[in-house]
Amino acid sequence: MGEFDLIARYFKRPVRRAALGGGDDCALLQASPGCQIAISCDMLVQGRHFFADADPFKLGHKALAVNLSDLAACGSRPLAFLLALALPTADETWLAPFSRGLLALADAHECELIGGDTTQGPLNICITVLGEVPLAGARSTALLRAGARAGDELFVSGTLGDARLALMASRGLTLPPGLLAKAKQRLDAPTPRVALGLALRGLATAAIDISDGLLGDLAHVLEASAVGACLDTSVAATLMACSSAELDAAVDAETRLECVLGGGDDYELLFTAPPAARGAVEQAALASATRVTRIGQIQAEPGLRLFDARGAPVTARYRSFDHFT
Amino acid sequence: MGEFDLIARYFKRPVRRAALGGGDDCALLQASPGCQIAISCDMLVQGRHFFADADPFKLGHKALAVNLSDLAACGSRPLAFLLALALPTADETWLAPFSRGLLALADAHECELIGGDTTQGPLNICITVLGEVPLAGARSTALLRAGARAGDELFVSGTLGDARLALMASRGLTLPPGLLAKAKQRLDAPTPRVALGLALRGLATAAIDISDGLLGDLAHVLEASAVGACLDTSVAATLMACSSAELDAAVDAETRLECVLGGGDDYELLFTAPPAARGAVEQAALASATRVTRIGQIQAEPGLRLFDARGAPVTARYRSFDHFT
């Protein structure tokens, strides 16, 4: 199977939104009048982001999901994506389920595959996704990291920490099979919060997707917005998808908090909104069928302060993920 | 050096054309009214597209050049690009020259780095480039592979085959040092024909950039345009950048023709235009300071016919490049 057969067999779809789809030197995309194009790019590397034995269907899903999550964090509607794929061999038993997982998620979000590149090499999946964000007059309606203001409330979507628990298991932590399966599901098949991101346009003052861990990504928001925050660790401790009973039997409270706060690979949204918008935030959560939890507050004083259920400071430090340290 | 330091030190630039540059979940790009966004993506893998000892400055240049070449082939003006980079280690002696080579070419084409991804892994450079193409009313002015018509003349820009000669040398062909250096320069530092691509808008009926080899890429044009062509191998044989005298002393005529026709890694433009436009094509070549050579003609009958200086058919077959065969 050659390069062009490979593309035709596993990745060719009818052209939908693009003015010109893959197969020429460039794809052509027509932006709607009064819109900006939002663009993001994520690369997944074998051995770093996934293991050699990763289920290719789930990997196809995840490779696009992590990119859609970036669009969600900007409140952008997905338009199209490009797939660059380095493969050791053109293995059909891998390509068929990979393309099914990838294109199922693409179809669910009406996000069109418009081009890319395929080459021989160590397995590497690089996706660039494009979305649109309406302009309100000359002003962008995109959700950005900058924009959080003192007094704003701090929210997260969905559940946090389970992906990290699955990673700990892969590094030696022993977990009961049922718990491990649930945690791995969160690691392997994250849900990009596109509908919530769209519902938060004009409502959230700042937003980011949690890919490197709650504390690390919150730090990006605080830095970009030049503010500080306090965060209730007793609420954070309730955020894992795996049930309390299962977790209590397997890991201590400190490990759970490390999973939620240090985390990584969650692909939930972290966002801020003024207290007056709390009802509207609840409506956005309902409308997008997405759980949203208030976990803290933005403060004028720089830095992040963790406190427990009794309001006492928590001093433990949790590192977020950095690829080169 | 961490991931964020790495980006700040080697790749951070002031935001210019983007509405929002790198550092948030997405970059935001505002397309001009009446324009389409052209998008292309190329991945370079160590061991496949370059060797482990490749000069990082030249590699930075080439990684962007091959993408700009795709924009050139569409007649698109470069706007911005995203860089996804997998690196074994954050090696500053590699990153500093790589970023200089990359950003020097980006600056020369006013093409803004607006985001991307960095991660640890086997060296892999994946660039997604965005350009704009004006609409004429509702009609795109992009140069496409489809559009060549019987009677059109067939042109190539610049020089062909030297990159292939350098590859042959890396696989055992012995060349004199002066010749090898010239050939390697063409392999390592291709020139994207952006100015020529822009000058050919409204003039060329079809265009493609030659990345897989003249015959292979011509086949794409013929297939997309549902036409055939004849090609003068005696003209093709004159297209190498290395001088005739140097080549005569080192390689036989058959090898030279294989380099030019089979080629690969040339990043020149192959395009078609009606005979009445020949003067305008010459003007476009002059205006963009780019050599352009007429090498054949489009014919109604499908297939490609090679002929020699005396008009006799040439039957040799030259394979173009496929990553998986």
Side-chain angles (χ1 to χ4, degrees), chain B residues 168-301:
Chain B
M168 285 179 169
S170 75
R171 288 165 191 164
L173 177 70
T174 305
L175 295 179
L179 183 60
L180 178 60
K182 281 188 192 170
K184 268 187 67 68
Q185 174 65 17
R186 287 287 299 155
L187 177 65
D188 294 344
T191 303
R193 301 300 185 184
V194 173
L196 178 63
L198 292 174
L200 290 174
R201 276 201 310 229
L203 194 57
T205 48
I208 193 170
D209 76 319
I210 303 175
S211 52
D212 293 343
L214 172 57
L215 296 195
D217 288 311
L218 175 54
H220 292 311
V221 170
L222 300 184
E223 188 188 351
S225 301
V227 292
C230 61
L231 192 149
D232 184 343
T233 58
S234 71
V235 177
T238 68
L239 285 174
M240 290 180 76
C242 295
S243 78
S244 261
E246 286 173 305
L247 288 164
D248 286 345
V251 289
D252 61 26
E254 180 64 14
T255 302
R256 285 163 67 168
L257 206 52
E258 184 183 337
C259 286
V260 172
L261 298 180
D265 259 334
D266 296 303
Y267 303 102
E268 295 294 349
L269 297 189
L270 171 70
F271 62 96
T272 58
R278 197 188 289 178
V281 168
E282 283 166 10
Q283 278 305 311
L286 270 176
S288 60
T290 310
R291 168 179 166 182
V292 164
T293 308
R294 188 159 47 89
I295 55 163
Q297 191 155 44
I298 299 297
Q299 299 173 321
E301 188 190 343

Side-chain angles (χ1 to χ4, degrees), chain A residues 1-6 19-20 23-31 34-46 48-49 67 69-74 76 82-90 114-122 124-130 133 135 140 142-146 207-209 211-212 220 224 321-325, chain B residues 1-6 19-20 23-31 34-46 48-49 67 69-74 76 82-90 114-122 124-130 133 135 140 142-146 207-209 211-212 220 224 321-325:
Chain A
M1 179 170 50
E3 179 180 0
F4 301 107
D5 291 336
L6 184 163
L20 178 76
D24 221 291
D25 293 296
C26 295
L28 293 174
L29 196 65
Q30 177 60 45
C35 269
Q36 289 179 317
I37 303 281
I39 309 147
S40 185
C41 176
D42 274 300
M43 183 180 257
L44 299 191
V45 177
Q46 180 173 304
R48 189 78 189 175
H49 301 93
N67 279 282
S69 179
D70 284 319
L71 289 186
C74 281
S76 171
L82 296 100
L83 169 69
L85 193 57
L87 291 171
T89 60
I114 56 169
D117 195 14
T118 51
T119 184
Q120 200 274 330
N124 182 311
I125 307 158
C126 185
I127 288 182
T128 303
V129 74
L130 297 104
V133 178
L135 289 169
S140 175
L143 305 176
L144 304 181
R145 298 177 182 191
I208 193 170
D209 77 319
S211 53
D212 293 343
H220 293 311
F321 196 76
D322 185 304
H323 280 289
F324 292 102
T325 55
Chain B
M1 180 170 49
E3 180 180 359
F4 301 106
D5 289 336
L6 185 163
L20 177 75
D24 221 291
D25 294 295
C26 296
L28 293 174
L29 197 64
Q30 177 60 47
C35 270
Q36 290 179 316
I37 302 281
I39 309 149
S40 184
C41 176
D42 274 299
M43 183 181 258
L44 299 191
V45 178
Q46 179 173 306
R48 189 79 190 175
H49 301 92
N67 279 281
S69 180
D70 285 319
L71 289 186
C74 283
S76 172
L82 297 99
L83 169 70
L85 192 57
L87 291 171
T89 59
I114 57 168
D117 195 14
T118 51
T119 184
Q120 199 275 330
N124 182 311
I125 306 158
C126 185
I127 287 182
T128 303
V129 74
L130 296 104
V133 178
L135 289 168
S140 177
L143 305 177
L144 304 181
R145 298 177 182 191
I208 193 170
D209 76 319
S211 52
D212 293 343
H220 292 311
F321 196 77
D322 186 305
H323 279 289
F324 292 104
T325 56

Side-chain angles (χ1 to χ4, degrees), chain B residues 54-70:
Chain B
D55 176 334
F57 181 93
K58 288 179 178 165
L59 194 55
H61 170 98
K62 182 165 180 174
L64 183 59
V66 303
N67 279 281
L68 290 175
S69 180
D70 285 319

